[in-house]
Amino acid sequence: MSSIPAPSALDAGTQAFPTLTAAQIDRLRAVGELRKVRPGEILFEPDDTDVPFFVLLSGHMEIVQPSLAGEREVVTHGPGGFTGEFTMISGRRCLVRGRVTEAGDFLEISNAGLHSIVAKDAELSEILMRAFILRRLALISRGMGNVILMGSRHCSGTLRLREFLTRNAHPYTYIDLDTDKTSQELLDRFDIKLEEVPVVICNGRTVLRNPSTQVLADCLGFNISIDNTQIRDLIIVGAGPSGLAAAVYAASEGLDCLVIETESPGGQAGSSSKIENYLGFPTGVSGQELANRAIAQAQKFGAKMMIAHSVVGLNCDRRPYKIVLDNGSALSARAIVISTGAQYKKPSTPNLQKFEGQGVYYGATYIESQLCENEEVIVVGGGNSAGQAAVYLSQTARKVYMLVRSGELSETMSRYLIQRITENPAIELHYRTEIVSLDGDYQLEKVGWFDRATGETSVHPIKHVFIMTGASPRTEWLQGCLALDNNGFILTGRDLDAPADHPASLAWPLSRPPQMLETSLPGVFAVGDVRSGNVKRVASAVGEGSIAIHLVHRALAEP
Ligand SMILES: Cc1cc2nc3c(=O)[nH]c(=O)nc-3n(C[C@H](O)[C@H](O)[C@H](O)COP(=O)(O)OP(=O)(O)OC[C@H]3O[C@@H](n4cnc5c(N)ncnc54)[C@H](O)[C@@H]3O)c2cc1C
């Protein structure tokens, strides 16, 4: 049995497992009830929902994680200690077992009581949130989750699920079937076929064969605390930077809000290895880290987050509006913020789909960078995201070929990035060049590119291609409901005044003018990359998401 090492005074361990002072405990007494506990009593189990928060006044308890090989110790709490990790805030299922080891008095606080303290008491909020986040990070780093993922680095499904769990900050144990022969035997014994990999063991009992992210999210109870029947003040569609900013401001200002996200929170920014131009982060911040902080912040204030569900329609003829989900259910809200951003454009190269996840990638995060360590890679595109990917991958790859269709890097590329690319000996820029062939049996093995300047096609033994060729808006579900521009981006505010070839039904219907960021439907707002005229930056997406909430308040106050 291993345990989290005892912390020294200054390391993260101290803040992960702090001892509350008598004064802090006294403030918690107001929302709690005293409970006498005896040795052996189990206070919570993995998979439990709505688990209370316990503060130990006297006595001891241990936190363990049951696994296939027995219990693994996480930590022991003593007087002044407290239970809980991030599931306390997110409302998801518990990951660990809590067992009393020495009789004593515990303060038991309901989930609602904890939320009210976190919202009101700044000092306790800081101590508890920091501890919950650090405890979650400790579980992640030690692979102590309720998921075992058995997969292969050559399998796109494995990459998809690893990214899903990582981007949702969910701890899991990964077993690499390429190297772990015992697991391969186990799969053979259960007659699990190649196309059924990855295999996921969820909560120690349910075996899922190559599940969709939605099936995995359901198995883990990601959305268990969400009530679909409630009419909310606000639904935010999409949890990229703009949607997360809207969620933080809406929840912190007392709006009852739900965020719905198709994949994992973070959006495009979540796939960025390092954002260096976001205010306040002079050494840069990974998109994923920024997203994780925002998710914690939004949930701390009480925003609900529905993961792995897509919005496929909007019933826009009556208020409260109804959002239709991919499973057919409908959710009502008095106001809506659309923050569905944009998705990568895919070039029409033959075989592209065949090699997606098997050599062709649309994001360059830590996971992908590990797949191509010391190998040659290609980055396609001449914009900011391509530039960033090239610079990031050049740290692990042997060589990065950056293929740009036009004769120069994009006008919108930041100057600092252009300098990093052109001065980096590991990056080779090829202008007027396009990929024309992708070949290999299962995994990508060879790439052919055509150089329009020389008229030559050459074939290279390269196994990794990163496609970063811009994005188009995710508004297909809004056709006929909202006024869009010619490229499908949502028109807002003054842009709605411009003469357009929309049907009259999409004209602004009220005598007051639309507010800034308001779409052709009163009370429905669009923010970030999905909005016509957006500037494709994290900061502007965050700014728009925040401003939108001020406007939502006004819309909600209307008769
Ligand atoms: C690799 C990369 C690097 C970048 N680097 C930088 C940088 O360094 N600095 C910078 O300022 N900008 C950068 N950008 C741009 C920046 O990330 C975007 O401008 C920003 O993410 C836009 O945020 P958004 O919230 O509007 O949309 P998005 O980030 O696109 O998020 C939209 C979210 O909505 C979800 N969604 C879509 N449709 C639905 C639906 N129907 N139902 C439910 N959910 C849905 C998506 O899954 C997604 O999570 C980068 C972009 C990329 C791709």
Side-chain angles (χ1 to χ4, degrees), residues 238 241-242 261-262 267-268 277 311 340 388 474 529 536-538:
S242 61
E261 167 57 48
T262 304
Q268 295 169 69
N277 56 359
V311 172
T340 47
Q388 268 186 14
R474 300 178 81 171
D529 279 17
K536 298 183 181 58
R537 288 284 187 270
V538 175

Side-chain angles (χ1 to χ4, degrees), residues 12 24 110 131 262 305 355 365 369 419 505 524 545 547:
Q24 288 161 349
S110 70
T262 304
M305 213 157 285
F355 294 115
T365 65
S369 74
Q419 202 174 357
S505 59
V524 177
I547 296 168

Side-chain angles (χ1 to χ4, degrees), residues 237-243 260-264 266-269 271-272 274-277 309-311 339-342 344 385 388 474 477 527-529 536-539 541:
V237 188
S242 61
I260 305 173
E261 167 57 48
T262 304
E263 286 289 330
S264 315
Q268 295 169 69
S271 66
S272 168
K274 202 165 198 185
I275 297 167
E276 292 194 58
N277 56 359
H309 277 287
S310 291
V311 172
S339 46
T340 47
Y344 313 115
S385 55
Q388 268 186 14
R474 300 178 81 171
W477 57 285
V527 293
D529 279 17
K536 298 183 181 58
R537 288 284 187 270
V538 175

Side-chain angles (χ1 to χ4, degrees), residues 48-233:
D48 282 357
T49 51
D50 221 8
V51 169
F53 171 71
F54 293 97
V55 181
L56 282 71
L57 306 179
S58 58
H60 280 84
M61 74 178 295
E62 61 182 358
I63 306 296
V64 295
Q65 191 174 57
S67 73
L68 296 177
E71 282 184 351
R72 292 204 286 169
E73 185 188 328
V74 179
V75 73
T76 298
H77 294 301
F82 57 88
T83 61
E85 60 88 49
F86 202 67
T87 44
M88 282 276 149
I89 295 296
S90 65
R92 290 183 186 166
R93 287 185 186 143
C94 182
L95 298 175
V96 289
R97 174 178 292 155
R99 186 193 290 118
V100 179
T101 49
E102 185 194 311
D105 289 338
F106 287 12
L107 195 60
E108 179 172 338
I109 298 175
S110 70
N111 209 269
L114 178 68
H115 267 276
S116 79
I117 274 286
V118 163
K120 279 193 292 221
D121 189 317
E123 188 197 18
L124 279 170
S125 165
E126 194 182 321
I127 295 170
L128 300 184
M129 284 301 290
R130 193 190 300 121
F132 291 163
I133 292 170
L134 290 172
R135 289 173 187 186
R136 171 55 64 103
L137 291 178
L139 291 178
I140 292 175
S141 72
R142 298 176 65 206
M144 293 183 93
N146 49 353
V147 185
I148 300 171
L149 173 63
M150 298 187 203
S152 156
R153 63 192 340 243
H154 305 299
C155 155
S156 59
T158 304
L159 185 64
R160 173 175 55 83
L161 294 186
R162 288 189 73 187
E163 282 195 348
F164 179 72
L165 291 166
T166 306
R167 288 184 62 169
N168 279 291
H170 195 90
Y172 67 98
T173 306
Y174 177 60
I175 296 173
D176 187 350
L177 295 173
D178 302 323
T179 52
D180 190 306
K181 293 287 168 254
T182 353
S183 306
Q184 185 57 58
E185 281 161 23
L186 188 81
L187 296 186
D188 291 344
R189 199 162 339 127
F190 285 103
D191 196 24
I192 290 174
K193 302 179 184 60
L194 192 63
E195 60 274 18
E196 291 173 333
V197 171
V199 173
V200 178
I201 302 175
C202 168
N203 300 321
R205 33 171 210 277
T206 314
V207 178
L208 305 171
R209 297 168 186 224
N210 193 8
S212 66
T213 44
Q214 199 174 103
V215 167
L216 180 57
D218 287 345
C219 187
L220 294 174
F222 275 11
N223 302 318
I224 198 139
S225 63
I226 294 167
D227 174 6
N228 284 6
T229 59
Q230 200 176 322
I231 300 178
R232 296 192 153 78
D233 294 328

Side-chain angles (χ1 to χ4, degrees), residues 36-48:
K36 293 220 171 287
V37 295
R38 44 185 172 33
E41 197 174 335
I42 293 195
L43 300 182
F44 45 84
E45 283 280 13
D47 232 17
D48 282 357

